[in-house]
Amino acid sequence: MDIQLTEEQRQVRELCREFAEAELKPNARRWDEKHEFPRDAVKKLAEMGLLGVAIPPEWGGAGMDNVSYAIAMEEISRGCAGTGVIMSVNNSLYCDPVMKFGTDQQKQEFLTPFAAGERLGCFALTEPMSGSDAAEMRTTAERRGGEYVLNGTKNFITNGPQADVILLFAMTDRSKGHRGITAFLVPTELTGFSRGRPDDKVGIRASGSCSVFFEDCVIPERYRLGGEGEGFKVAMSTLDGGRIGIGAQALGIARAALEEAVAYAKDRKAFGQPIANFQAIQFMLADMATEVDAARLLVWRAASMKDRGVRFSAEAAMAKLFASEMSERVTSKALQIHGGYGYVKEFDVERHWRDSRITEIYEGTSEIQRLVISASVLKD
Amino acid sequence: MDFEPGELQGQVAAVARRFARERIAPAASENDRLGRFPEELMREAGALGLLGVNIPAAYGGSEAGAVAYALAMMEIAAADASVAVTIGVTNMVGEAIAAHGTEAQRQRCLTRLASGEWLAGAFALSEAQAGSDPASIATRAERRGDGWVLSGAKQWITSGDRAGVHVVWARTGAPAERQLTAFLVEAGTPGLLVGRHEVKMGQRASTTVELALEDCEVGDDAVLGRPGDGFRIAMQALDGGRIGIASQATGTMRAAIDASVRYAKERRTFGVPIAQHQAIAFALADLQVEHDAARLLTLRAASRKDLRRPFTREASMAKLFASEAAQRAVSRAVQIHGGYGYTEEFPVAKLFRDARVQTIYEGTSEIQRLVIAREVLRAAG
């Protein structure tokens, strides 16, 4: 058993922490307010290798492990949760499956520039009437000779407004339910592809999401990722890794809120002394710090299992479930400690509270995580 | 980074698991009902090396470290929390002697504690009016000739009637000095008297007694560490003890989950096993997540201890989280069992009673929160 960070992991943490302090924290409030995509920051993430953290250097990535990825996600999200999810979608939901399921030819075209951060990817599974239950999806890919014709609508697509390529899931055989789903890599410059207006979201407003539409959009067969009918497998295996990223994001948001609450409690006076002297505040801080640490260990455990190549679906679900629900509790307590100031935009804590909320919803709601975990608890 | 037990850690856990399943579990219900101290099990635990898991081999210990100890305690507690606390306190006393004792003290006490020749060790810190706040201890030790005379009363002493040796904390020096000293007082020392046995709602196979110290004379060689070191020795031992209780609570949660899963797969309502209802399945998922979080917090604290790094904050977090989560787990386990959960026919009623003390002893949840808040506020500068 070895629960210490390696030298490389420590360096990643320091590098990301400095970057978040210098480039993200000072701008996060403005990006949130204006719903502005942090273009320059994303470019710097690319230079730092953070858009393909665990992708081998031969495919444009930084070649680090998944624990490093989790550490980077926590630190970046602590600075700006919106920037965190831009990073996690490109890493976990786009590069990871292309690395795992792509042919070498596909990797050259669809992985290297994305892992290097020259281009941005996204992941399109969810539809207006199909989120947690992917077998209900309506988007179709009809085979016509050596091509596929895509039709349908996907929504809530993070990075959708900016993405150069979409990892799309569509039905090639509706009669087979989830076994009829196939994955495709679809460049967004193709005819027949269009985007809706960016969603007006409660939080993570530095990241854009939108609906995307496919109307008789024709792609060659070589853009299919994996075999026909393997899409569900691709999606589920991808989401296992994505949950580590979102767990780490939730953790970073919570840590930002905790740190600000500690600073505020030491500064703010009531009844003649700093409120940090009162047990009511101290005990909240103690509970918050404990839950943050518990979440981090769950995230690191799942990441370290992914690094070892053992199955980690249940562990990733646990990390994501606990970290996201923890994040909502911790940011809410941090807001409470700030009193009225917590409710106004003069402080960052209200943003953390809003940002945390999505982590319980995307990449599998808390309810889906509980399905995954209970299936694992009840098996055999 | 690797959360898997190493070879020796895995071996110790496997020995503990087998002992827990084959020997402790079958006797747990009856020992609880009768309030019977598991004398034979303590001897066997000694023979298996479980009474000195983190004690140097030179003194008969297993020298397997704090992580191995935590893993073993989880296994034992999953079978019976009473046995776990008795073994846990014995290990804690051994570790305090290993850390602060003289060579003679180690030779005499550790070999007997680790082997099970002495059935247990006792940690006599709490008093009727001094629990969370050891600075208010009233027991005194006065210098007499080359030795000391102890007088006072201790309360809530686990295994106080069975222990071969007690670590007794007493005030020394001038009254204004608030100086504490730890003494090793062996069973049978004149003036060390075992008083009333507490009648407890849970962990009934462990004994909890009052101790009276009436003109109890010990030599200078009974002082553990140096006079005045007592507070530091107690706090250091409790940091380690908290890993033990956190492990115990984690083991209790494991038992609650196992019993609930078993029941939920068998019991049917509305035509299906209740495990198929989301209300039950999701409750089980939450229990598993909290169990794993408790386990990881506990193993992190233990692993820092093994690395000789500070672990006060981590041990308090583990103890706080695991013991509080155990309350939720046993309550939910009873709920999943419905009316049967409220009877002693099923194991969860005992778990429900046993778990309750975990948020109280070796530092209440409130004390853990004080410790954590202090560390968090200090780290923020």
Side-chain angles (χ1 to χ4, degrees), chain A residues 66-357:
Chain A
N66 287 284
V67 171
S68 297
Y69 171 56
I71 290 166
M73 271 300 297
E74 177 185 342
E75 296 300 330
I76 298 302
S77 302
R78 172 178 160 271
C80 172
T83 306
V85 75
I86 295 166
M87 171 180 157
S88 84
V89 166
N90 196 72
N91 274 276
S92 291
L93 299 192
Y94 183 84
C95 290
D96 216 30
V98 179
M99 179 67 212
K100 188 166 172 188
F101 297 99
T103 62
D104 279 2
Q105 202 190 351
Q106 287 176 326
K107 285 182 197 166
Q108 259 162 26
E109 184 175 355
F110 291 110
L111 180 56
T112 303
F114 293 80
E118 293 151 18
R119 309 185 80 197
L120 200 64
C122 72
F123 177 91
L125 178 67
T126 298
E127 299 185 0
M129 298 309 289
S130 155
S132 298
D133 181 6
E136 281 298 309
M137 72 171 55
R138 293 282 174 258
T139 299
T140 56
E142 199 186 324
R143 197 176 181 128
R144 227 179 262 168
E147 296 173 331
Y148 287 94
V149 183
L150 308 172
N151 276 290
T153 300
K154 296 282 174 181
N155 70 343
F156 302 138
I157 306 308
T158 303
N159 290 357
Q162 295 84 23
D164 299 294
V165 168
I166 293 183
L167 171 52
L168 173 74
F169 296 86
M171 280 286 180
T172 41
D173 187 348
R174 166 94 38 89
S175 69
K176 289 184 180 160
H178 69 263
R179 287 194 187 82
I181 298 171
T182 303
F184 300 94
L185 294 159
V186 187
T188 55
E189 77 230 5
L190 293 182
T191 312
F193 171 82
S194 61
R195 302 175 159 106
R197 284 174 39 200
D199 301 319
D200 188 4
K201 303 192 300 295
V202 167
I204 53 163
R205 290 164 60 89
S207 113
S209 73
C210 66
S211 295
V212 295
F213 309 101
F214 301 87
E215 284 173 82
D216 292 327
C217 179
V218 179
I219 56 168
E221 192 181 341
R222 65 189 167 86
Y223 287 180
R224 191 186 66 220
L225 185 67
E228 271 194 23
E230 281 183 8
F232 188 75
K233 190 180 82 181
V234 173
M236 291 305 114
S237 125
T238 301
L239 287 172
D240 281 347
R243 284 162 190 168
I244 294 172
I246 301 306
Q249 184 202 21
L251 179 56
I253 298 169
R255 214 181 89 224
L258 170 61
E259 288 171 1
E260 286 157 29
V262 168
Y264 185 82
K266 294 179 98 160
D267 188 49
R268 167 76 179 193
K269 287 196 168 69
F271 306 102
Q273 52 184 318
I275 62 171
N277 288 359
F278 297 115
Q279 288 192 341
I281 304 298
Q282 285 182 5
F283 282 26
M284 270 198 260
L285 294 173
D287 286 336
M288 291 156 75
T290 301
E291 290 201 44
V292 164
D293 278 21
R296 185 178 297 111
L297 290 164
L298 286 165
V299 169
W300 284 1
R301 175 180 65 163
S304 74
M305 289 174 77
K306 186 169 189 224
D307 283 331
R308 274 189 294 130
V310 297
R311 195 171 157 77
F312 64 98
S313 303
E315 287 77 9
M318 289 192 214
K320 201 267 186 185
L321 173 64
F322 187 88
S324 61
E325 299 204 336
M326 171 285 291
S327 192
E328 200 199 331
R329 287 192 293 274
V330 165
T331 55
S332 178
K333 279 180 180 159
L335 197 153
Q336 187 70 24
I337 289 170
H338 279 74
Y341 289 108
Y343 204 66
V344 297
K345 302 203 176 222
E346 204 177 312
F347 284 80
D348 286 334
V349 71
E350 63 84 26
R351 188 182 81 246
H352 303 321
W353 182 62
R354 287 185 288 111
D355 286 347
S356 75
R357 193 63 186 81

Side-chain angles (χ1 to χ4, degrees), chain B residues 16-35:
Chain B
R17 187 178 312 128
R18 190 163 171 197
F19 175 54
R21 288 184 181 170
E22 292 177 3
R23 300 289 300 144
I24 301 176
S29 177
E30 199 181 344
N31 284 341
D32 171 66
R33 191 164 52 79
L34 301 174

Side-chain angles (χ1 to χ4, degrees), chain A residues 2-41:
Chain A
D2 177 13
I3 315 185
Q4 296 186 99
L5 299 185
T6 63
E7 192 47 42
E8 185 184 78
Q9 290 161 348
R10 255 176 242 284
Q11 282 168 6
V12 170
R13 189 174 62 181
E14 288 317 308
L15 190 72
C16 293
R17 196 171 284 182
E18 281 165 25
F19 174 71
E21 283 295 327
E23 309 276 345
L24 302 178
K25 276 179 97 172
N27 297 309
R29 204 180 299 171
R30 178 170 47 86
W31 294 332
D32 171 72
E33 205 175 291
K34 303 206 162 127
H35 224 306
E36 183 183 325
F37 185 80
R39 203 161 294 282
D40 291 345

